[in-house]
Each structure stands twice: as C-alpha cells, then as structure tokens.
Amino acid sequence: MSEQPRHPGRPDPAMTTEWLRGAGHESDVVMSSRVRLARNLAGAAFVNRASRPERMKVLESCRSQLERAPIGPTVSWHDLHRTPSNERTLLVERHLISQQHARGKQANQTGGPDEPRGVAITFPDERISVMVNEEDHLRIQSISSGLDLARTLAAAEAVDDALESGLNFAFSPRFGYLTACPTNVGTGLRLSVMLHLPGLRLIGNIDKVKLAAKDMSLAVRGFYGEGSEAIGDFYQISNQTTLGKPERVLLHELESEILPRVIEYERAARQMLLTKRRYHFEDAVHRAMGVLCHARLMTTEESMQHLSLVRVGVVTGMIGHLKHEEVNHLMLLTQPGHLQLLAGRELNQDERRLARAELLRTRLTPRK
Amino acid sequence: MSEQPRHPGRPDPAMTTEWLRGAGHESDVVMSSRVRLARNLAGAAFVNRASRPERMKVLESCRSQLERAPIGPTVSWHDLHRTPSNERTLLVERHLISQQHARGKQANQTGGPDEPRGVAITFPDERISVMVNEEDHLRIQSISSGLDLARTLAAAEAVDDALESGLNFAFSPRFGYLTACPTNVGTGLRLSVMLHLPGLRLIGNIDKVKLAAKDMSLAVRGFYGEGSEAIGDFYQISNQTTLGKPERVLLHELESEILPRVIEYERAARQMLLTKRRYHFEDAVHRAMGVLCHARLMTTEESMQHLSLVRVGVVTGMIGHLKHEEVNHLMLLTQPGHLQLLAGRELNQDERRLARAELLRTRLTPRK
C-alpha cells in the first residue's frame, strides 16, 4: 500500500471527490459517470429477509473478502451501524453511500441505524465504494468525472471479479445475477450519468428530454438519485433494463447513441442563449453570482440553483475568475453535513444558512 | 442675478435635485417636505372650462408677472407646449411638474400636449416651481429636503405674495381661494412629505400606517403622487382638508403631531429588525446590493425596490462605502427620462434596462 497524506478513516470535507472533479470527457455538460453492480451471496437470505445474525454473517464474509482482495491501494472501511449520523450524512453527500444505506432502512421500512452494514471506499480518490447490506448484500459502485462509462464499468467489473474470487454469488443460468428487487435481476447493472442541463431548463425544454428518456426506458432522477428532486439543473439519467441485454449493449446505447444527443441538445441551448438571448442569459448568471457573493442567509436548494448558473457562466466564459471545479466543490461543501464538519460542531438550520452564505461569499467574491 | 455655471434652460440629468439631497431634519426617514398652493386668476375661466385663447392669455399674464417678480435669482421658464416629450418626462421625474401637466391633459381628459401651459423653476436648486395652466391657473410648489414644512410653507407664501402683487386671485370672503376642484377650495394648500418606510414594510406594518393616516383624513400616495403606486417603500403623506382650517393649524398637526409619531414608528421597526432579526435584515439589504451590483438588465420598479433596501442599509450603517444622497440620486438617474438624456438618445425598453443595470453597477460597486 502506498503512503497517503491523510487518515483514511474519515472522508475529509475540505477535499473534493471524484465525481465533482470537473475533469474528463464532455465535462461542460457531464458531471460524472457511475456504474453500479448488485450482487448477493448464494445460500444467504436477501437483506430484507435476513435475521440480524444472518446479516452480521454476510457483513463479516464480505468484509474479509474485501480485505483479502482490496479494491484499491488504500481503503477505508466504515461499520455504518457504529458511525455517527453526521459522518453518514457526509458519505451520502459525497455519493459514497445511498440515503437508504445511511439510515439502515430497507425499502419496506424495516431496519434502522443499528442494522449491521458497512461500506469500503478507496482513499483518497473515492472512485470505488462497495456497500454491504444495502438492498443487496453487495453494491459495487465505480464513479468517474466526465463521460467515461466504459472505463468506469471496467473498474467495477475488476472489483466484481476480485470479490467473486472468494465469494459465491447467487446466479441463475436462466436469469443471471439474482437481486432483492426484480428490476435489477440479470446483469445487476445500473449505468448512470449526472448531467448539468441549465441551458435546456432556461429555454424550457427539460420536459422534452425527460419524455424522450422515458420513451427509451431510461430513468431520470435528481441530484441524490432515486426519489430526489432535480436541484441545480442536475439530472441523473440511467438504464432501467437489466434483464436480456448484455452489459456492452446497454453501455453502447447510452454512451454512444443517447448521451451524445442530449449533450449536443444542451450545448445548442447554451449557444442559442449566448447568441439570441445573450443579455438575459448574462443577467441570470450574474444575478446568481451577485446573490451568492452578498447574501447573509442561504438554503441548500437556493445555493445549488445559483451555483448551477454560475457553473454554466464559468463554462461559457462569462465568469473569468473561477474554475468550474471550484464551483463543483462548493456544491459539496455547502451541503449540511459538510458544513457542520467544516464548522467542527452541529449547527441548527439558521446557523447552517449563515455559515453557508459566509462560505459562498468568501470563496466566490473575486479577490481584490 | 448671480452667475450660474450651467445653462438654466434645461435641468441637468447629472445633477441631483433638492428633494433628493438627503439633508435636513429626520432625513433617515423623511426624504422631502413639499408645499403646494393652488391659485386662479379672478375673471378668467378655470383651465378645464377655458378656450385656447383664454388659456393663452392666462399663460401670458402669469409669465409676465413671474418675470416682474421672479421666484429666485435664476429662473428657467419652459413653454411645455413647445417642450419635447423626453424633457417633459425629465421634469416629471424631478417632481417639478405633475404627470398631468406633462401630458397637458385635464382630469376630464380634455386637452393634450399642445395646450398652452408652462412652468417656472428656480435654478439650479429646483426648490420652487410654478406651474401655469395645470388644473388651476397657478400651482406654486416649494420643496425642501428632510422634514421642514414651516420653512417650505414660508417660501411658497413668499412666492404667493410676489405673484399676488401683480395678479388678482379669485378669492371668496366666505370660502377663501377658489379652485377648479372643490377639494382645494379655502387655503388651496397641500402639505406633503415623502417618507421612506422600509422598516414598516419589512415587519408588515405598512397597512396600519395607511389606516391611521386615513383616520386622520390624510392621503397616502406613491412616489409620483396622485394615482401612483408606492414603489421602493416611499409614501407621500398629505392633508386632504383645505377648507375651515388655517394653514398654521394644518401645519402644526402634521409636522408636530402626526409625522413625529410615524417617524418614531419607522425607527422602532428598524431597531427591532437590527436587534431581533439582524441576519434577515442584513440578508435583505445585502441581497439587494448584490443584485444591483451584478444584474445586466433592470426595470425601474425593481431598481427602486433594491435601492430602497440599500438606502436603509446605508442609513443603519450596514453599508459603509456609500452615502444616502448617492443612493437618492440613483433613484433619479435610473428613471427612464434621465437615463435617455444621460445616453444622449432615445432608448427602447431593452436598452433602458441594459443602461440602467450598467449605471447601477458602475455607481454602486465598491472601488477596489
């Protein structure tokens, strides 16, 4: 293992994370590419059917295999049933675990914060995380900045192979990988990309994209995945089919056919705004900047909405003194968990709004 | 006559005007004090009943008396039936003539822009103006910065005396001065003050002030007088009674009894905001400043609303780099007529919004 400068036991709120790095292909529109593989251990009950001792046993088997076949040079492990709530919130905000996994609750509302479960995360890049005892025994997540589904899938498959070398996965020759929810049976694969579509929202064409995605059996979700609202013009587009289509077909459809069209559609919207509605576009972007640089109280939602406009202002060259990765990073830092860990204490809602506004002012105001 | 540096023929849009000077008593709350006297010539039909030749004759009589007994050391005279529309707009924005006088229309919608009518204005202070052939043959206006009704009335009465020395005013021993509208019969006097009440609006108590004023037979009007909306938290409070009460009684009631209470009420609201809702108050003020310093397009109404908050921010010490007279002056400069005269050409609505936003940014952004 290589030496790392920081303690791997806890993600550092001051550090950015892979999916917000702002690098990679098409990063003016695509924030990140994410691959998830759902796997379960043969001969063990699914999580929502398992007793506590059974879950504990699954947790131990998975953890010891993760130690035998580590997912990266430095890996942090979190027993989530022993992790304080604010640190679990931090992991959710960094998209390393799901909200469901943070709460320890199953979709049927059984379980709770002390359910035996955990997550392994590569440190410090946070590109790979493996949740144990979420909805499935294992959820392998691989994430990359920009549009890069093929390499992201390859990274997830390498982890899958490493885990399978010591674990016996539930697999049916007829159906493929078996999963707790039938929608994931087959490949157990979800490919998703987080898109930033402020141009399409400003010209009023977001609903067309949603409808087109639906026609192609794609799901459109918000910033925090399933059940979350689109905030700050961020949309996650992902496949819904996992049965009957091989991985490479799913991947090709999404990465080479569908996404390039959405990306071009967003770029055309931005170009139209820049040429035909330039003053209105600049006005919207600079007002967002004005509010962020001057407000004294700020909610998460409002902040995300303004940062979205600032981000497109940076990408289109209207705002010169910032880089879009700085804007991305602020989207993370202004989340409640991050704010509180930066402050070093719990903050009530008013204190968070005050601290968020101050952080934004300090980071965004051009230095004199 | 004293030498004046500028041509008195046309008010200079770059210069401020008396009522926006930001000086005088209670200027944290009271923008200006205004006195108006309505007078008519005996033996001549009221303006809305007079033929064009009759109106022309009234105009000539009044103008020659204004020349014999000038209202100030330097006086500019404007034949409004020969004045271009944009210059008339400028005079309205500077509160030197009424909207009705600019249009040349009577309340009954007779008349039009070529009706013979005019205005004499003291230059460069613009403290006195005398409209000829508005609703009455003569409307004498005296205006001062801050709360100063007694001296403002004295100045109007001096003009009244000077005019009466050469003109025969319609006067009834029983009713007093006769006027075109019965509501002005008697003293022909209207006393009014322009108040800035952002504190009361922010705590939701403006309607209480309006109701109390109504109970005391006072009229509450907007920034541009009769029929205009309150914009930017500015309210004109004035007497409605002109019959049966001597001038000094009206004046004492308003200046010594009613207004001190409204002023204290507004100050208490600001104090409450500063102590109990400090962050929300600061947030509102600084957001207004942020939008003004960053927006690329701005309407008059939005600009007035933000400038109102900036003004209270300056007065309460939240904003250090501006004086409240600078903010007052911007309220004038951002009006459509002023903007166009500053630009030196007619501007369409989009161009005005663009020019207004640019002017505000340039004047309000702290110099580095």
Side-chain angles (χ1 to χ4, degrees), chain A residues 279-280 282-283 286-287 289-291 294-298 302 354 368, chain B residues 279-280 282-283 286-287 289-291 294-298 302 354 368:
Chain A
Y279 293 129
H280 289 85
E282 287 184 344
D283 187 53
H286 287 290
R287 277 171 184 255
M289 192 70 179
V291 173
H294 289 259
R296 263 48 182 176
L297 294 170
M298 182 69 66
E302 189 191 351
L354 207 59
K368 290 176 183 176
Chain B
Y279 293 128
H280 290 85
E282 288 184 342
D283 186 53
H286 287 290
R287 277 171 183 256
M289 191 70 179
V291 173
H294 289 259
R296 261 51 182 176
L297 294 170
M298 181 71 65
E302 191 192 350
L354 206 58
K368 288 175 186 179

Side-chain angles (χ1 to χ4, degrees), chain B residues 41-53:
Chain B
L41 304 192
F46 284 135
V47 181
N48 62 357
R49 295 297 203 123
S51 65
R52 190 178 166 88

Side-chain angles (χ1 to χ4, degrees), chain B residues 72-202:
Chain B
T74 305
V75 178
S76 65
W77 172 262
H78 306 258
D79 273 330
L80 294 174
H81 44 293
R82 295 199 189 98
T83 304
S85 159
N86 62 349
E87 292 188 25
R88 282 181 275 136
T89 302
L90 195 82
L91 296 171
V92 173
E93 290 171 357
R94 299 175 83 81
H95 289 199
L96 297 168
I97 64 173
S98 63
Q99 286 174 326
Q100 176 180 330
H101 205 42
R103 286 196 300 267
K105 288 231 180 197
Q106 291 296 310
N108 62 7
Q109 294 304 312
T110 59
D114 64 344
E115 286 299 327
R117 67 202 191 287
V119 64
I121 302 165
T122 58
F123 183 88
D125 64 25
E126 302 179 348
R127 291 172 69 105
I128 302 280
S129 72
V130 178
M131 289 188 280
V132 180
N133 284 341
E134 202 242 23
E135 183 178 293
D136 295 296
H137 294 149
L138 286 160
R139 288 265 174 123
I140 301 163
Q141 171 181 280
S142 168
I143 201 160
S144 307
S145 190
L147 181 62
D148 200 358
L149 284 170
R151 285 206 297 177
T152 312
L153 176 60
E157 286 175 333
V159 173
D160 185 34
D161 292 345
L163 291 173
E164 203 162 15
S165 69
L167 295 169
N168 190 12
F169 288 161
F171 184 84
S172 144
R174 185 167 165 210
F175 295 117
Y177 288 102
L178 300 179
T179 54
C181 179
T183 58
N184 296 318
V185 166
T187 57
L189 174 69
R190 174 163 290 160
L191 300 169
S192 61
V193 287
M194 174 92 76
L195 301 173
H196 185 220
L197 306 178
L200 290 169
R201 198 253 308 164
L202 286 170

Side-chain angles (χ1 to χ4, degrees), chain A residues 267-286:
Chain A
R267 285 183 186 148
R270 294 180 188 178
Q271 199 51 42
M272 193 280 271
L273 289 165
L274 283 171
T275 50
K276 300 201 179 143
R277 290 173 59 190
R278 174 129 206 149
Y279 293 129
H280 289 85
F281 192 22
E282 287 184 344
D283 187 53
V285 166
H286 287 290

Side-chain angles (χ1 to χ4, degrees), chain B residues 225-247:
Chain B
E226 210 149 340
S228 73
E229 285 293 304
I231 48 171
D233 308 316
F234 291 101
Y235 298 86
Q236 285 189 48
I237 291 190
S238 57
N239 66 301
Q240 288 187 305
T241 317
T242 53
L243 197 63
K245 278 190 190 175
E247 278 95 334

